[in-house]
Amino acid sequence: MQRHSMAAEGGGKEMNEIKTQFTTREGVYKLLTHSEYSRPNRVPFNSQGSNPVKVSFVNVNDQSGNGDRICFNVGRELYFYIYKGVRKAADLSKPIDKRIYKGTQPTCHDFNPLTATAESVSLLVGFSAGQVQLIDPIKKETSKLFNEERLIDKSRVTCVRWVPGSESLFLVAHSSGSMYLYNVENTCGTTAPHYQLLKQGENYAVHTCKSKSARNPLLRWTVGEGALNEFAFSPDGKFLACASQDGFLRVFGFDAAELHGTMKSYFGGLLCVCWSPDGRYIVAGGEDDLVTVWSFLDCRVIARGHGHKSWVSVVAFDHCTTSVEDGDLPAEFSGSDEDFHEQNHFSAGRDRANSSHSRLSKRNSTDSRPVSVTYRFGSVGQDTQLCLWDLTEDILFPHLPLSRTRTHTNVMSATSPPATGQPPSTLSTTTSSGGTNSKDNLSNSSTSGNPTNSLPGTLPRSNSLPHSSNPANSIIDSAFIATSVSKFATLSLHDSRKERHEKDHKRNHSMGHISSKSSDKLNQLSSSKMAKADAAKTLGTTLCPRMEEVPLLEPLVCKKIAHERLTVLIFLEDCLVTACQEGFVCTWARPGKVGLLSSQNNPANSPSGTVV
């Protein structure tokens, strides 16, 4: 893999240079060049017109202690390797299994963690023509093909997941906007299924399959307008979050098929979604270049994050860095240790999160004091950047009543305009353009004292960006997105708004949300006028608050780490894993976890020619 040689800090003055390390408060994350997985020839894949590269992990509980397995798709090819992570260099000459498909391409996949052993794994693979295959890459068996004749759905499979806690049920989403529940034991029948309405709600319906004998699909969900881009099960498996091309996040009670709550993107489609490890928060990303944090309990947007310059393709929580410092508060557990499968993530079947993280659910129900808590999540996008974000107690537990017009005295955010028409007061702050050293200049004037803080006092607790104080009907709404993070920190939103807007939107991979130049065909949206009218209806409501109505997060880290758009972000115990559309799966060692490979990182034996 051809990369530029870097300076020791992973820096470099040229904008096009790729970073090979980055620093957070925990320490330095380093790219392990020897742990790069790709096609055996290591040649960058020509990704034009192909489906996104995706990665799935499973642990087979191998007695040797090397039980991690990795699966990834590149174009028409699917690979299955032993994943050695930070311990040993990858040996790409020995895939356990490799498959090349004709006429259709793999689009997504998922391991069943319950049935995985050293001798056998159950891997579901979705395809661009709508089929779903069940394979065992260890036994090299192809046991079943679902929707083989495409009688159930002819559109591309966008997401496939085993139902949490089940050895036989799995859920499949398609670009048609439908989801289907399958049982591996059932056949799909030789005729198109006939459906009977089971449940209907606002912009969704659930049908059962009418049949004298058991057949697939068991259920058909139709959700929203246009493609259903991704779904994610809650950590306890009871709820399902769906991100759709119509821009809506919809959260359902899975068993009862009840709609729990909804959220609307700022504009454009939502492409990705994930749950916090305790199930309290959902983060979604998409074509508005934002990450949006939604409270499951309150059913409302509590923060947005702006750092990407293009569509956000993956969001994921880091269960290892997410933490609670709360003394001896009475515990209220919203879930048990068993809740922490990895279904809240793209790649189910990884090692379970450490059971101690069920402490995340602790919160005192009678005392309004916020605990000291940090939820860490990450995002990657078509802008080739990795962003890391911290969600802290000043955002989660504001000290004033939870009204839409509140001022966060300890969060850099403005209120929505008062009824009198007077401009809302804003908070002064100093912000560094780098995004990692921003400091609160604020005193928590309305608080009864600072919450317990496990971090050094010099580190920021909030990564919110300042807001414009202009009360006009969303000048921020129309202008803010075109600015990059560095501009955001140094310019007011009023400066050359139109100029920046036009400049930033000329790039191919930027937000072509309703434009004909959009790289994704948004033909599911009946017309741009209709879409704009719908957006106008929701903007300023609880479905989609205006920009000044919720805190705006600034990323802790925002680094260009690839030449092609990024399609994977997975947090593991010792590392985080990213992948780009060129077909390179990269391992970034967590601070202090470089281990064996640190002594091997030199240009002479680096297979990809990278100097760390």
Side-chain angles (χ1 to χ4, degrees), residues 64-241:
S64 69
N66 202 18
D68 288 326
R69 302 289 180 266
I70 184 174
C71 171
F72 56 91
N73 60 292
V74 182
R76 297 185 299 119
E77 302 164 14
L78 187 76
Y79 292 94
F80 181 70
Y81 282 96
I82 294 175
Y83 179 70
K84 299 176 183 177
V86 301
R87 298 181 300 277
K88 292 182 180 178
D91 184 358
L92 297 186
S93 65
K94 297 177 181 176
I96 300 173
D97 196 15
K98 172 188 173 182
R99 298 177 186 231
I100 301 177
Y101 296 93
K102 293 180 180 177
T104 185
Q105 292 186 1
T107 58
C108 50
H109 31 83
D110 190 40
F111 289 106
N112 192 326
L114 297 180
T115 60
T117 67
E119 293 77 40
S120 174
V121 293
S122 297
L123 177 66
L124 292 168
V125 184
F127 289 89
S128 55
Q131 304 94 335
V132 178
Q133 193 178 45
L134 175 62
I135 64 177
D136 187 331
I138 295 180
K139 292 182 176 176
K140 304 204 170 34
E141 290 178 358
T142 302
S143 56
K144 288 191 178 174
L145 188 59
F146 302 92
N147 193 30
E148 181 175 6
E149 303 298 327
R150 305 171 69 215
L151 297 171
I152 297 171
D153 200 305
K154 291 181 168 58
S155 67
R156 177 172 55 92
V157 176
T158 55
C159 187
V160 61
R161 293 274 182 277
W162 291 96
V163 173
S166 176
E167 297 186 4
S168 57
L169 298 178
F170 62 93
L171 194 60
V172 182
H174 289 257
S175 58
S176 63
S178 294
M179 280 190 303
Y180 303 90
L181 181 65
Y182 287 82
N183 187 326
V184 293
E185 308 300 333
N186 295 357
T187 63
C188 289
T190 55
T191 58
H194 293 279
Y195 296 104
Q196 182 173 342
L197 183 64
L198 177 68
K199 191 142 207 169
Q200 196 162 16
E202 189 178 352
N203 285 312
Y204 83 97
V206 183
H207 291 79
T208 56
C209 184
K210 289 169 64 178
S211 177
K212 291 179 181 178
S213 58
R215 67 161 285 180
N216 285 318
L218 304 178
L219 294 175
R220 179 186 73 177
W221 294 61
T222 49
V223 180
E225 300 288 329
L228 205 168
N229 290 320
E230 190 181 30
F231 63 83
F233 283 101
S234 62
D236 62 8
K238 294 177 181 176
F239 292 88
L240 184 71

Side-chain angles (χ1 to χ4, degrees), residues 175 177 202-204 222-229 242-250 262-271 287 514 522 524-526 530-532 534-535 538:
S175 58
E202 189 178 352
N203 285 312
Y204 83 97
T222 49
V223 180
E225 300 288 329
L228 205 168
N229 290 320
C242 300
S244 296
Q245 189 60 45
D246 61 9
F248 279 89
L249 167 74
R250 296 177 178 89
T262 58
M263 181 272 285
K264 175 71 170 60
S265 70
Y266 202 68
F267 61 73
L270 285 179
L271 304 177
E287 295 174 358
I514 309 286
L522 303 185
Q524 287 92 348
L525 292 176
S526 54
M530 196 171 181
K532 285 175 182 172
D534 289 344
T538 58

Side-chain angles (χ1 to χ4, degrees), residues 22-29 320-323 373-376 388-392 436 453-456 459-461 463 556-557 591:
F22 55 85
T23 304
T24 65
R25 66 167 188 272
E26 310 94 70
V28 180
Y29 289 75
C320 294
T321 311
T322 296
S323 63
V373 57
T374 302
Y375 290 85
R376 167 70 56 81
L388 295 181
W389 314 81
D390 270 359
L391 193 58
T392 48
T436 52
N453 191 342
S454 60
L455 301 177
L459 287 172
R461 293 297 301 155
N463 295 294
L556 297 171
V557 168

Side-chain angles (χ1 to χ4, degrees), residues 415-449:
T415 62
S416 53
T420 57
Q422 294 175 354
S425 58
T426 53
L427 306 171
S428 63
T429 173
T430 57
T431 318
S432 77
S433 59
T436 52
N437 302 324
S438 71
K439 247 186 184 177
D440 274 342
N441 238 3
L442 315 171
S443 61
N444 291 335
S445 55
S446 68
T447 65
S448 56

Side-chain angles (χ1 to χ4, degrees), residues 1-23 28-33 36 309 383-386 434 557-563 566 576 578 586-588 610-612:
M1 184 177 174
Q2 296 300 310
R3 297 177 190 255
H4 295 285
S5 174
M6 300 297 140
E9 271 303 311
K13 294 180 181 177
E14 292 184 31
M15 289 297 288
N16 200 37
E17 285 190 348
I18 290 177
K19 302 296 184 280
T20 57
Q21 63 183 51
F22 55 85
T23 304
V28 180
Y29 289 75
K30 294 185 179 180
L31 178 68
L32 300 181
T33 56
E36 182 180 273
K309 301 184 182 74
D383 56 1
T384 71
Q385 292 193 129
L386 163 70
V557 168
C558 191
K559 301 290 185 186
K560 177 183 172 69
I561 61 169
H563 287 300
L566 291 161
L576 59 95
T578 61
C586 297
T587 297
W588 301 77
T610 310
V611 179
V612 177

Side-chain angles (χ1 to χ4, degrees), residues 309-378:
K309 301 184 182 74
S310 186
W311 296 358
V312 179
S313 49
V314 185
V315 286
F317 274 87
D318 181 355
H319 59 276
C320 294
T321 311
T322 296
S323 63
V324 171
E325 300 295 335
D326 56 9
D328 295 319
L329 295 179
E332 269 195 358
F333 290 95
S334 64
S336 68
D337 297 346
E338 293 303 308
D339 291 346
F340 292 95
H341 304 290
E342 294 299 325
Q343 286 88 6
N344 57 328
H345 208 287
F346 251 69
S347 293
R350 305 190 318 257
D351 291 342
R352 286 191 182 177
N354 189 317
S355 63
S356 67
H357 289 288
S358 58
R359 293 192 309 117
L360 288 172
S361 304
K362 286 185 185 178
R363 190 175 159 199
N364 192 335
S365 58
T366 58
D367 195 332
S368 61
R369 287 177 303 155
V371 295
S372 178
V373 57
T374 302
Y375 290 85
R376 167 70 56 81
F377 66 95

Side-chain angles (χ1 to χ4, degrees), residues 282-305:
I282 295 173
V283 171
E287 295 174 358
D288 53 10
D289 299 8
L290 299 169
V291 292
T292 303
V293 185
W294 190 80
S295 167
F296 175 79
L297 297 174
D298 298 334
C299 290
R300 64 182 183 89
V301 175
I302 58 167
R304 291 187 178 106

